[in-house]
Structures are given as structure tokens and as C-alpha cells.
Amino acid sequence: MTMLRVRDMTVRFGGIVALDGVSLDLNRGEILGLIGPNGAGKTTLFNCISGVIAPDKGTIFFEGHSLVYAPPHVRARFGIARTFQNLQLWGSMTVAENLVVPMDALGRRNTFSDALHLPFSSYAERASMERARAILHVLDLDRYAGTLAGDLPAGIQRRVEIARALAMRPRLLLLDEPAAGLDAQETARLAELLHAVRERFHVSMLLVDHDMSLVMRVCDYVYVLDFGKLLARGQPAAIRSDPKVIAAYLGEESKKLEGEVATVVPTRPQQAPLLEVKQLAAGYGGLEVVRDIDLAVRPGEVVACIGANGAGKTTTLRAISGMIHPRRGRVMFGGRDVTGTSAERIAQLGLIHIPEGRGLFPNLSVEDTLRLVSNTAGHDVNITPAFELFPKLRQRRRQLVGTLSGGEQQMVALGRAILSEPRLVMIDEMSQGLAPTVVRQLFDIIRVFREQGIAVLLVEQFVESALDVADRAYVFEHGSIRLSGPAVELRADRKLVAGSYLGTAVDATAVAAANGNGNGHHVDPALMEIVSVRVPAKVKRALEQRAEVEGRPTGAVAIELLEKVDHQ
Amino acid sequence: MTSRLIFRVLMALVAFAVLARIPVGFDVGFKFDAGLAVIWAFALLSLVLLTGYVGQISLCQATFAGIGAYTAGMMSATFHVDYIVAVAAGVAAAFVLGLLVGLPALRLHGITLAIVTLGIALVFDRYVFQDHAFEWLTGGTGGWRVGQTSMFGLQMDSSKHLMGAYVVLLALFCVVALLMVNLHESGAGRRFRAIRDSELAAATMGVNLTRYKLLAFGMSAAIAGMGGAFYPLVAGSVSPQPFWLFTSLQFAAIAVLMGVRYVPAAALGGAFMAFVPDVLTRYGHGTLFGRPYEISYDWFQIAVGVLLIVQLITLPDGVWGDLRQRVLHMRSAVGGLGGRKVKVA
Ligand SMILES: Nc1ncnc2c1ncn2[C@@H]1O[C@H](COP(=O)(O)OP(=O)(O)OP(=O)(O)O)[C@@H](O)[C@H]1O
Ligand SMILES: [Mg+2]
């Protein structure tokens, strides 16, 4: 049963061929992986399927319908939902509202009855809101339901993107790098969630990600793109050992000789710290996100910050680089007190911050972005080193940064930072969106940095690699530093690190929801919660009885009920 | 939800009751200003919908108001219909024009859309409102005179019954404003805001962009046209001058100044636009330290410009947006008084 049939898809942007005759088949109920180097055309293929761009050539059939002339919202009605690599939540709405919009848009609603708050509209409204809460609950996002989506950290926003796509009740889900910025445990949970969603809601998926642990674990079949062409396809295991794929994308894994690199610890502890943070506290609005942060980085030292999403790493970096004002505490850089100094001034002193959103200007070309460095530096900067580091950028030098692929944008941000000859680089989620080969290359670059005496403060999802390259590490938890020490020790004490992650990240419900419901009689706690919230006890009992009679899980019956309510 | 609705209805009633009384006892000039204030407030409200909610740019809102005014004037002067019918015709005409202007907005964004709507305003300003070919609509150089007319069957002569026109206008404004506030929190409003926040996401999540953008332009034009349609009644006649290009630009500037996302800001802006110039011309001359001085209308324009710059730097969310922030802040500081708690882990 082919659900999605893509034939000969070709997309050109000026001289760039982003997709070159790609064909792909997705069967119903299948999770298909789509991998490939940065700029291979994965997001472009998503854009074609969801109707955001029109291909130059090629056809798409979904459940027998040709999609050539269908605008995006019609495809949404067919049941195609997607998430975005560059987050596209509606920032001024709450998380719950973000989920309600697609539900309403796909239902039959009327602008005037909405404005008048007619009973019909209010009723549908309440039903949608309930369903939104249920979905948020399953994804363990309920405590963010009332928060403005734009205020959330990127990692949470990524999960809300998935929740919003699920709210559309999709039949095909297109996931563009859902694991970007997630650590190993969160990724494992995501994998379980995706499996559960497939089992329970019968959703087929097309998954793009650079985290091979996720792709290998979840996907039934994998397509590999390179330069817009299909490079290989096959079972995950076969793909993993395919020499073509290794050469173009995965890279050699044999490099990883445990402990070897780590024994090289050439830092001079007696040297005065380059960056010293004392008792730092910072936050947004009425909220204090981090407190009592004590942290030091010596010249030429590589320091990693690890900790679950929302533990306060990003906020700490922001407070150090002057993007936000510290509430309390002091930041010393190069022997100078820079607390509360403007971000530009701090950058001029040689402290470069690559923020989570990369901080790029979408309407500047790659070359102009890099040339801008001369402005801060105060003298003409030669931009070739950036191109040597990322040869890919040389071909793209005239392209606008906003149209680059996600990974290419990350390359620009990193290249720009390196050009400004920093004394300390702070990188938030360094490997986010980068292909495995590039990530490996980056860790090598960091080693080069250390040799040149450039210090690095690093926030990184790949804890192992980060600890491999780092001299020391800080473990964040709940907005303060829980643990710190030499990376070698922390790595050996694996349990300690893992425990700290679990501290913030564990959630029994989502795991239970993911595990449960395979057999007929296991009652899914999350779904029972939904039922108990919205239905009176009598109905609930009836529901349970019916489930028993039909020999189906109560959850399935409950969902059917929810759907009926929603359609009325 | 319902309690909030009741609260809003009460607020609108109170606002209506207070505002309806204010011009009583003042001279005709002020009564005219009061009517004008509501007319301009309609135009600013149309921008709250179009720009504040949906994120689209338009520099031809005065044109929509003008179409409303001319259509109503024509209906009243040539067909002698009840004035409320003339208003309905004006609104309908503006709605249709809004749909047409919305067509290019399906493809254009930001600055290009601004330029296109500017072009439309220019065409109407220089050509349609002034050319012989359109005399059937504009009534020629003299425009339409709406001396004697009736509304809802009641005598409504423009000079004598200014207050009557004002009250009807105000009541309509309160109703439309209430609908706009409701719309913001309703499903349709959310779809509009989704287009503003991320068009890309809105389209792929099932929002029909064509339909909602056209609807936004149509509704916005209709709201501007509703205000405009009362202009002949309040002023007694209609001429191209109030609806020229510059007024459109002024709408955009004042909407931003007052806070383009907020409905009450429209009322504030309308009053500002109608009263300040008049007060300036009335009392803006005299002698100071023995020297004669004169503050003319030009000074108003300059003041708006300067205020706009100051506001964009200090109050990016507009005057009303800032006020609202402060009140909310105070409320949450006091605590418990309905200040919504935001939980963030
Ligand atoms: N609007 C555009 N104009 C010009 N070039 C574009 C445009 N959009 C994408 N490209 C180019 O097309 C190529 C494919 O981009 P795409 O976003 O599909 O890559 P990707 O496979 O998703 O990469 P990544 O893993 O980095 O996200 C890239 O080289 C990109 O620079
Ligand atoms: Mg991509």
C-alpha cells in the first residue's frame, strides 16, 4: 500500500540544483528515514510535499490524489502535517493556542460566529482546547500550556512543533530534525514516542535527522540524499555499512579510541582565568532562571556545559555575553569587569557568542555576513579561512543566508565567529543541524583552537563527544551548577551525569503512554486522564464497559469519542 | 469565557454612555470634531484588524473610507434612501474594493505590498475622486450635499442633528469594537494571528491563506468604509480632500503610535486626530512674551512625526500597549486580582 509516491522531483534555485530527479515511496504505517549531508535537499523535499514550494518537475501522489495543484492547506486536509527545522511556532500565542489553530482550521468554522462567540463556536472551541490539553499531556508539555510559545527555549519549542503537528490528526507526519538540540535520553524518549504515535494513531512518517541513533532506532527504511540525488536506500543496518553513505555522510567511526584523546590535558591550571563568573543570576521578566552560577574558563581551555533542556545553559551564556542583563553576580573577562556591558563591547573584547538561533541576518549574503566581521574587528579581515573550514560555503558565497539549509546556516555562524579572532568562543548547541562528518570535523577544529590558545565554552547535546574534547565540564540542573570537574572524571562517572539528566528530564507519564496500550487490556494512564477530565463518571464507566465488550483498549474508544465530539 | 464577555459588553456600554454625553453643551465645531473622531477611529480600527491582527500592510485605508463616503453620499443625494441604507451601500462598496486590493497581497509582503497600496491610494486620490468620468460617484467638483435626510425614519439634518448622527456612529463603533476584541480571542482571530506570526506555518497547518487574507482586507475595508459612510452626514457634504493620500499615511502613523494591536488604541487615535488639530487652530495663536505666535496645522504633522520617533524608541508597542503593560504589571504585583499566572519550569 503506497501512501506517498514521489516521482522525479526536481527543484532548482537559480544555478543550484537542490533536488535532482528524486523518487520515493512511502507505505502506509511506515517510518521512512531521510538522511544526507547538509544542503542535500532534504528540507526542500519536505517543502515540495507540504506544498510550500512548487517543484520545477515531478509529481507527488498521496493516497491516490495528485498533489500538483493542491495548495498547502488542502494538503493539510488530506492529512499531511509537518514540523519545521527552523522553528515556526506562532510566537505570540500560548502553546495551547498553537495546537488549537490547526484543529479549528481543519474543522468547519465561521469567522462571524467566532466573533460573536455563538454557542456553536464556543462549543467547538472548548472541544479543541480539551484535545489540545490531552495532546500536551501525552507529550509532557502540560505545564507550558499557558506560556507564550515564543518565550520557550528552543528544545521545548521543538517538542511543541511535534505536538502541533499531531493536533492536525495527520496520516503522514513530516519531521524535520526533531532531535536537534536533544540529549541522548531525550532522543531515546522521542524514539519511543514516535513508535507509540505510529502504533496508536496509525501515522506514517518521514523523518529527517542527523542523529543516527534516532534514525537507526525508529526507521523501517532509509533513503540517503546527496547533492539532490538519491545516493542509496535500504534497511537501516545496510545503510549504516554502505561504503557510499559512509564516504558522503556518516564518516569513519573507527576514530573513536576511548580515553586516548582525553589524556592530553595540556592546560596550565595556574594561569589566571580568562573568564570568571561569580554568583551569577539571570532571568526574564518576573522569572529567575539561573542563580549562583560560578564558572571559570582559562586561556586555551575547552569547557563543556551539559544538562537537560531548560536547565539554564542558554540563559547563562546570554548573561555572560551581555545579551541579557545579569540580575546579580559578576562577569570578569580578561581581568576586566564586564557585568552589564553591552553585547557589542564584550564582542570587541574578544568574547564571541554563537547563540542558539545563530544570530544571522537572513537578507545578507554569505560573503557580506562574513565581511561584517571587519566592522567589529576594526580592520579588514580576510574571509578565506572560513571558506577553508567549510568549503561548502565558498560555492554559496552569494546566496542569501536566509535561504541556506539549516546546516549551512550553522556553518556561517561558526565561520563568522572564527574570523573575528576571538579569545573565547561560546557556542550554544554547536552540532545542531550538522551532518555527522561535519560534527566530527568541528570537534577536530576545537582541538586546533586549544592549540592556538583560544578558549571554548561549549553547550552540546552529544555529551560523549563533548566530554571527549573538553578539559572540564559543568553539569547544570534546575538553573544552577550541580557538578563540575575534569572531563575525564565526569566521563568515568557516567552514572552521575546520567542521574543529573534524569533529575529534570524524567517523566513517567510519557514513557508509560509510549509503552502502554499495546495489549488490549492495559489502560493507558495518559488517555484515562483525558477521559476523566472531559467526561462525567457515568460516561466514563460506559466507556470502559464498551471497551471491554469490544475487546479494545479504553484509549482507542476514548479517542473515537474525542473525534466525534470534535466533528460535531 | 462568558464572564469575560459580559465584562466586555459592560465596558462597551459604559464607554458608550460616557462618550455619548461628552459633546453635549459644546459648540457645533466640537460636535463636528466628535463625529470626525469616531470616523477616524473606524479607520484606525480597520488597521488594528489588518495590521495588528493579520500583519498585512496597507497605505490606502483613507481610500476605503472615501469610497464609503462617496457611495453613501451618492445614495443619499441621488436616490434619497434612508441614510442607514446609504451606509450599508458604502460599507458594501468598500468591502468589494478591499477584496480587490487584497488580491496583490496574496503574493506580496512588507515593503512591496506597502508600495502597491500606496499606488492604489494615489490612483483614487488623483484620478477617481477628481476625474469627470467618475462624477456619478463623486458628484462632480462640488461633491454631494447631504442637507436633509433621515435615518431609521427620523429626521437627521446634518447641521441641526449632529448629535444624533454622532450617537448612532458611536453606538456602531462600540459594537464593531466589541466584535473586534472578541474576534481576537476566537478561532478566526487565532487563524488571523497565525498568518501574522508565521505565514508558512499557517498555510501548512490548514489555514487557507487566500481566503483569510482576502477576508481580512475585505473586512478591514468595510470597517474603514463604515466610518467614511457617515462623513457626508456629519460634514454635510463630501469632498476628496479628507480622503487623500496623506490621510492614509497619517492613519498608518497614528495607528502605530497608539498601538496597532489594540482596539481601544483606535478610539484614542481617532480622538487625537480629530481634536488636536482643531484645538491648535483655535487656541494655537496669541502672543507670548510680547511676540505673536501661531501654531498651525503643520505643527500637528510635525508633532506626529516626532512623537512617532519617540514612541518607536521608548514604547515599541504603542501608547496603549504600554499603558496596558503597566496596568497588567501592577495587577500581577498586587496579585490575585485576576492577574494571570504564567508558569515556566
Ligand atoms: N530559496 C533558496 N534559494 C537558493 N538556494 C536555496 C533555497 N532554498 C534552499 N536552497 C539551497 O538548496 C540546497 C538544499 O537545501 P535544503 O534546505 O533542502 O538542505 P537540507 O538537506 O535540509 O540540509 P540540512 O541538513 O543542512 O538542513 C541548499 O544548498 C540550499 O542552500
Ligand atoms: Mg534541512
Side-chain angles (χ1 to χ4, degrees):
Chain A
M1 275 183 299
T2 316
M3 181 183 228
L4 180 75
R5 186 194 297 271
V6 177
R7 283 291 170 274
D8 203 19
M9 200 43 59
T10 302
V11 176
R12 287 187 210 94
F13 296 107
I16 301 167
V17 185
L19 278 180
D20 191 1
V22 171
S23 299
L24 176 149
D25 283 293
L26 171 78
N27 294 324
R28 206 165 289 158
E30 200 171 44
I31 301 185
L32 206 67
L34 188 61
I35 58 175
N38 294 120
K42 305 176 295 291
T43 303
T44 307
L45 185 59
F46 271 24
N47 286 341
C48 290
I49 297 174
S50 61
V52 174
I53 58 172
D56 293 296
K57 212 169 87 194
T59 51
I60 305 175
F61 283 89
F62 180 71
E63 302 270 34
H65 304 279
S66 169
L67 293 189
V68 181
Y69 297 111
H73 70 270
V74 172
R75 300 182 195 215
R77 274 171 197 274
F78 283 149
I80 301 179
R82 73 172 288 183
T83 67
F84 292 87
Q85 184 180 6
N86 294 330
L87 301 164
Q88 295 282 344
L89 290 179
W90 299 301
S92 67
M93 292 188 221
T94 66
V95 168
E97 280 181 313
N98 264 277
L99 268 65
V100 168
V101 169
M103 289 187 227
D104 287 355
L106 296 174
R108 249 179 298 137
R109 297 288 292 275
N110 177 312
T111 311
F112 293 97
S113 90
D114 279 1
L116 290 170
H117 280 276
L118 292 183
F120 164 77
S121 279
S122 317
Y123 184 69
E125 171 98 18
R126 249 175 305 153
S128 303
M129 220 20 135
E130 284 297 329
R131 213 166 82 80
R133 286 191 193 291
I135 292 170
L136 288 177
H137 184 82
V138 173
L139 275 120
D140 188 36
L141 288 165
D142 17 18
R143 65 201 138 127
Y144 305 110
T147 316
L148 293 188
D151 292 348
L152 291 171
I156 312 279
Q157 286 199 25
R158 223 166 263 286
R159 256 155 73 204
V160 177
E161 281 251 356
I162 298 175
R164 181 176 68 174
L166 286 178
M168 292 170 67
R169 224 192 286 281
R171 292 202 279 169
L172 171 64
L173 186 56
L174 311 174
L175 296 164
D176 203 346
E177 303 202 10
L182 301 190
D183 64 51
Q185 240 128 31
E186 290 168 317
T187 307
R189 273 201 353 248
L190 179 68
E192 279 178 63
L193 177 83
L194 295 185
H195 271 301
V197 165
R198 179 197 21 203
E199 296 308 318
R200 202 174 330 133
F201 302 98
H202 308 292
V203 181
S204 316
M205 292 179 213
L206 196 52
L207 171 76
V208 170
D209 211 291
H210 291 300
D211 188 340
M212 281 311 106
S213 72
L214 178 71
V215 174
M216 294 300 157
R217 192 165 355 187
V218 195
C219 296
D220 305 309
Y221 203 76
V222 178
Y223 279 72
V224 188
L225 290 185
D226 191 19
F227 292 112
K229 285 205 183 69
L230 196 63
L231 182 70
R233 55 180 200 168
Q235 309 287 337
I239 287 297
R240 179 168 241 169
S241 52
D242 187 328
K244 272 187 296 180
V245 181
I246 291 178
Y249 178 60
L250 294 173
E252 298 294 338
E253 275 190 74
S254 53
K255 253 189 182 175
K256 227 179 154 191
L257 291 177
E258 277 286 332
E260 202 184 49
V261 222
T263 44
V264 197
V265 188
T267 28
R268 286 92 22 189
Q270 67 279 10
Q271 248 181 324
L274 178 63
L275 173 76
E276 210 175 358
V277 176
K278 282 191 190 129
Q279 291 296 308
L280 185 79
Y284 313 94
L287 211 75
E288 193 167 291
V289 179
V290 294
R291 69 206 78 81
D292 303 331
I293 302 287
D294 282 308
L295 174 154
V297 183
R298 277 174 250 285
E301 195 179 32
V302 178
V303 176
C305 296
I306 48 189
N309 261 312
K313 297 160 299 184
T314 298
T315 308
T316 306
L317 295 201
R318 283 186 179 165
I320 293 175
S321 70
M323 276 171 75
I324 57 173
H325 262 279
R327 297 263 163 98
R328 287 188 305 276
R330 290 205 308 154
V331 180
M332 310 279 294
F333 183 68
R336 234 192 252 229
D337 191 343
V338 294
T339 324
T341 313
S342 76
E344 298 93 76
R345 183 83 196 100
I346 293 181
Q348 277 169 1
L349 291 174
L351 198 168
I352 300 296
H353 179 194
I354 306 175
E356 216 170 19
R358 307 194 187 105
L360 297 172
F361 304 105
N363 290 324
L364 277 187
S365 72
V366 171
E367 198 170 331
D368 290 341
T369 306
L370 296 176
R371 288 207 188 289
L372 263 187
V373 172
S374 311
N375 248 350
T376 359
H379 58 90
D380 246 358
V381 170
N382 180 11
I383 61 171
T384 23
F387 291 144
E388 275 158 17
L389 214 52
F390 302 108
K392 178 111 220 219
L393 293 183
R394 196 192 293 274
Q395 314 151 14
R396 300 273 188 252
R397 56 198 300 165
R398 308 229 181 280
Q399 195 173 325
L400 297 187
V401 168
T403 64
L404 289 175
S405 86
E408 290 163 352
Q409 290 183 8
Q410 183 78 344
M411 293 178 192
V412 174
L414 288 166
R416 183 176 63 176
I418 285 157
L419 287 185
S420 51
E421 294 170 2
R423 297 161 73 191
L424 170 66
V425 197
M426 300 197 296
I427 316 176
D428 205 348
E429 299 291 4
M430 179 181 77
S431 63
Q432 179 166 322
L434 294 178
T437 36
V438 184
V439 173
R440 215 156 290 147
Q441 186 197 346
L442 264 182
F443 280 116
D444 289 342
I445 292 169
I446 285 183
R447 293 196 178 94
V448 176
F449 273 8
R450 177 162 52 194
E451 277 150 30
Q452 293 177 350
I454 301 172
V456 179
L457 185 63
L458 181 80
V459 170
E460 178 51 52
Q461 51 165 327
F462 293 121
V463 180
E464 297 211 25
S465 318
L467 288 181
D468 273 348
V469 72
D471 300 307
R472 284 188 306 114
Y474 293 94
V475 180
F476 280 67
E477 190 185 36
H478 295 311
S480 47
I481 291 173
R482 149 91 180 270
L483 207 70
S484 67
V488 198
E489 277 172 33
L490 285 176
R491 199 173 22 182
D493 203 353
R494 197 166 285 284
K495 238 198 263 164
L496 204 59
V497 179
S500 157
Y501 273 96
L502 284 172
T504 33
V506 82
D507 69 286
T509 352
V511 176
N515 291 336
N517 228 12
N519 53 357
H521 290 285
H522 183 94
V523 177
D524 181 333
L527 282 169
M528 278 327 290
E529 183 81 5
I530 308 170
V531 177
S532 59
V533 170
R534 42 180 316 161
V535 212
K538 230 200 298 187
V539 181
K540 191 163 133 194
R541 251 195 323 277
L543 199 71
E544 277 162 6
Q545 273 166 11
R546 189 159 134 203
E548 186 117 358
V549 170
E550 294 177 13
R552 291 194 299 161
T554 324
V557 180
I559 284 181
E560 216 180 86
L561 179 98
L562 295 183
E563 287 180 353
K564 270 188 197 148
V565 171
D566 235 358
H567 282 181
Q568 272 165 17
Chain B
M1 205 64 222
T2 37
S3 68
R4 249 209 260 169
L5 190 60
I6 292 168
F7 173 72
R8 281 189 199 136
V9 172
L10 282 177
M11 285 293 285
L13 281 176
V14 170
F16 173 73
V18 172
L19 291 177
R21 297 290 307 162
I22 287 183
V24 175
F26 282 98
D27 61 21
V28 177
F30 263 121
K31 283 180 182 157
F32 171 71
D33 286 346
L36 203 58
V38 189
I39 290 171
W40 294 156
F42 265 107
L44 293 172
L45 190 64
S46 74
L47 275 175
V48 170
L49 173 67
L50 194 64
T51 307
Y53 291 7
V54 197
Q56 307 296 306
I57 294 178
S58 160
L59 295 178
C60 61
Q61 294 307 104
T63 305
F64 295 140
I67 282 294
Y70 276 114
T71 309
M74 177 192 69
M75 291 299 282
S76 176
T78 53
F79 300 108
H80 306 289
V81 293
D82 189 289
Y83 202 80
I84 204 70
V85 176
V87 169
V91 170
F95 181 77
V96 171
L97 183 64
L99 289 185
L100 292 178
V101 174
L103 287 176
L106 297 176
R107 297 262 161 219
L108 305 178
H109 296 269
I111 189 82
T112 34
L113 181 57
I115 300 291
V116 166
T117 53
L118 197 69
I120 289 165
L122 207 60
V123 165
F124 273 82
D125 180 13
R126 287 289 123 91
Y127 180 61
V128 178
F129 290 162
Q130 305 206 359
D131 197 86
H132 290 304
F134 292 92
E135 266 180 17
W136 56 273
L137 175 69
T138 60
T141 34
W144 303 110
R145 315 218 133 261
V146 184
Q148 289 167 328
T149 182
S150 59
M151 196 190 290
F152 303 116
L154 298 171
Q155 195 66 16
M156 191 74 77
D157 296 353
S158 61
S159 48
K160 276 182 259 159
H161 298 90
L162 208 49
M163 274 310 284
Y166 170 71
V167 167
V168 173
L169 194 51
L170 189 65
L172 263 180
F173 180 80
C174 287
V175 170
V176 176
L178 192 66
L179 283 180
M180 292 292 298
V181 175
N182 272 351
L183 182 68
H184 187 264
E185 252 112 274
S186 72
R190 259 186 239 123
R191 274 177 313 269
F192 281 143
R193 285 186 283 149
I195 294 176
R196 177 188 72 195
D197 283 5
S198 166
E199 214 169 274
L200 195 60
T204 47
M205 300 294 147
V207 176
N208 185 343
L209 287 188
T210 310
R211 182 165 146 197
Y212 279 94
K213 276 193 182 175
L214 285 183
L215 189 65
F217 266 93
M219 278 167 63
S220 165
I223 292 171
M226 185 180 286
F230 278 89
Y231 189 86
L233 186 67
V234 170
S237 68
V238 45
S239 60
Q241 206 270 331
F243 306 111
W244 65 317
L245 177 68
F246 196 80
T247 314
S248 285
L249 297 180
Q250 214 167 43
F251 285 149
I254 290 187
V256 172
L257 178 66
M258 292 301 165
V260 76
R261 295 196 177 187
Y262 306 100
V263 168
L268 206 63
F272 183 74
M273 269 183 87
F275 286 110
V276 175
D278 192 32
V279 169
L280 282 184
T281 40
R282 278 186 199 214
Y283 307 109
H285 48 81
T287 44
L288 194 66
F289 304 124
R291 280 161 178 244
Y293 69 94
E294 177 150 1
I295 304 171
S296 63
Y297 183 65
D298 297 339
W299 283 93
F300 173 69
Q301 318 281 18
I302 295 169
V304 168
V306 172
L307 280 176
L308 198 62
I309 293 168
V310 172
Q311 172 259 332
L312 283 178
I313 294 168
T314 57
L315 318 169
D317 209 14
V319 172
W320 185 267
D322 186 65
L323 269 174
R324 189 170 165 277
Q325 262 307 315
R326 274 165 209 241
V327 170
L328 285 183
H329 224 88
M330 261 158 49
R331 225 162 55 164
S332 67
V334 172
L337 282 174
R340 239 201 295 167
K341 274 182 234 144
V342 181
K343 273 188 270 176
V344 177

